[in-house]
Amino acid sequence: YNYNSWGMVSSNGEFAFAWIQDRQWTNTLNRYATFSMNGLKNGRFNVEFWNSRRDDINSARNLNVTTGTIYISDSDLPDFAKDVSMKIRRIGASGDTVHDVSVGCVSQCDWFVRSANAKVNVTVVNQGTASETFNVVLEDQTDSKVVGTNRVSNLSAGRTTTTTFTWNTTNATLGWHNLKLTAAAVSGE
């Protein structure tokens, strides 16, 4: 076999973590891996696929569990090098409409030169079962300023997208800055 895999399911069957590792530990893309895990409740689950070396989300999918086992096919599992980890969370019984959006991860430079166009990339996740439109707000808590508000439109259920903020740091206080990101709650969340 080509992969090692580990996983654990919560005692109530509503939450799980999993990890798949290329046994050769190469940078070659793995494109045809599949995965299954037993012990889950029946219903819809949101699966976030994480790049464990960069600590960010590759993608997300909503999948149905009907026999207590989640099956992740090679078309659901993103291509990965070395390894991929998964957060698996129940989002309702089959047929339920669930509204749930969140900030997945932030990617920015460790430091910025003062400029009018420092970029901050934010991955947002729709962990629900319906397409959603919502605002994402970036705040510089150090200088007590809102950097910007970006609108995410029609993000499909179980998917991720990246939105980019342009931060004008020309007059920012020197030193470390605490940034706060908020995905506005959607109706029904």
Side-chain angles (χ1 to χ4, degrees):
Y1 58 98
N2 295 326
Y3 306 103
N4 292 321
S5 61
W6 293 267
M8 65 181 183
V9 176
S10 65
S11 60
N12 66 4
E14 294 192 356
F15 195 84
F17 291 104
W19 184 53
I20 300 173
Q21 176 194 38
D22 174 1
R23 294 188 74 200
Q24 302 303 314
W25 200 248
T26 67
N27 284 321
T28 303
L29 282 183
N30 293 282
R31 296 195 166 136
Y32 305 108
T34 61
F35 181 80
S36 64
M37 179 181 274
N38 301 321
L40 296 167
K41 280 188 175 178
N42 291 340
R44 287 192 56 79
F45 282 78
N46 179 261
V47 182
E48 292 180 1
F49 300 97
W50 286 74
N51 180 327
S52 56
R53 288 174 319 287
R54 287 194 329 244
D55 196 27
D56 64 1
I57 296 174
N58 282 347
S59 63
R61 300 273 187 279
N62 284 352
L63 299 172
N64 285 316
V65 172
T66 57
T67 61
T69 301
I70 193 165
Y71 296 97
I72 301 174
S73 69
D74 58 357
S75 62
D76 292 322
L77 189 67
D79 295 347
F80 66 93
K82 296 187 179 177
D83 68 344
V84 63
S85 56
M86 291 167 268
K87 180 174 88 171
I88 303 166
R89 183 177 66 94
R90 188 168 189 256
I91 54 176
S94 294
D96 285 353
T97 300
V98 177
H99 302 279
D100 188 1
V101 296
S102 66
V103 172
C105 61
V106 180
S107 174
Q108 83 279 346
C109 296
D110 291 334
W111 56 273
F112 290 114
V113 174
R114 284 184 167 182
S115 74
N117 60 354
K119 302 294 186 204
V120 178
N121 296 316
V122 179
T123 301
V124 291
V125 184
N126 181 350
Q127 299 173 322
T129 60
S131 290
E132 302 289 0
T133 297
F134 56 98
N135 289 330
V136 181
V137 179
L138 174 61
E139 297 175 66
D140 176 358
Q141 292 187 311
T142 304
D143 284 344
S144 301
K145 292 183 179 180
V146 173
V147 172
T149 300
N150 290 357
R151 188 141 182 94
V152 176
S153 296
N154 296 317
L155 181 57
S156 297
R159 299 299 184 167
T160 63
T161 192
T162 300
T163 184
T164 301
F165 289 88
T166 301
W167 180 17
N168 184 343
T169 59
T170 304
N171 296 314
T173 305
L174 292 176
W176 293 100
H177 284 253
N178 290 321
L179 300 179
K180 178 181 176 184
L181 280 150
T182 306
V186 294
S187 179
E189 186 171 16

